[in-house]
Amino acid sequence: MESDADFRARMAATGGPVATGPMTAQARKKEASAGTAAAPRAKAADADEDEEDDLKGVNLRGYKKTSDGRTTSFFNNELDEKAKALIGDITPQAIKPSEAAAAPAGAAGGGSAWNSAGTFEAKNKTEWASEKLEQMLVGVEVSLPEGMGAIKVHALKDLTGDAEVTTMRNKKKYLFDFEFTLEWRGGIKEIG
């Protein structure tokens, strides 16, 4: 099998790829008798040196030289002193238990601890609102004008709907939609 150096020498001598199959025994004998077997190897070594010299000044596609002379991929980012000063110390730091306990419990707008950016968050408060409505409305008594009498709420029936507290962009909003029937009794005085 042909070595890399022999292949390069053959390519340099012929000006490009030619017959790529294995050399026959007769072709090897011809090459050996002509004394050209040593010459291609010397040419190959010279070609390698020339190739390295050519590549020193050439920018290879997708690669670049770093300030310390290393060849690296194009996407490797080398920071200058100004950028390093701007970023500061980015080495990982261990979290101490005392610092973790001192962290704030929630976001500034009243959202959850996980929602420090104040993005959308909704909490269902339907059960609490239903109980509170019944507490506030049952037993309310309203006086009629000019002392004509009074109306009193006795029961809250057919309560349906929902209530939510939403946090969006660090602002709390209270959303509710309820439908219900009030059972009431009233007494009217006769005006005489």
Side-chain angles (χ1 to χ4, degrees), residues 33-51:
S33 65
T36 58
R41 288 189 184 140
K43 284 181 184 176
D46 289 342
D48 287 342
E49 289 173 13
D50 290 342
E51 193 174 300

Side-chain angles (χ1 to χ4, degrees), residues 61-93:
R61 179 182 265 172
Y63 294 92
K64 65 180 180 180
K65 293 276 186 184
T66 59
S67 60
D68 60 355
R70 295 179 300 127
T71 302
T72 183
S73 72
F74 179 77
F75 299 102
N76 186 35
N77 189 11
E78 194 171 333
L79 300 175
D80 59 354
E81 293 305 316
K82 184 178 177 183
K84 287 179 185 176
L86 180 64
I87 293 172
D89 183 22
I90 58 172
T91 55
Q93 304 289 327

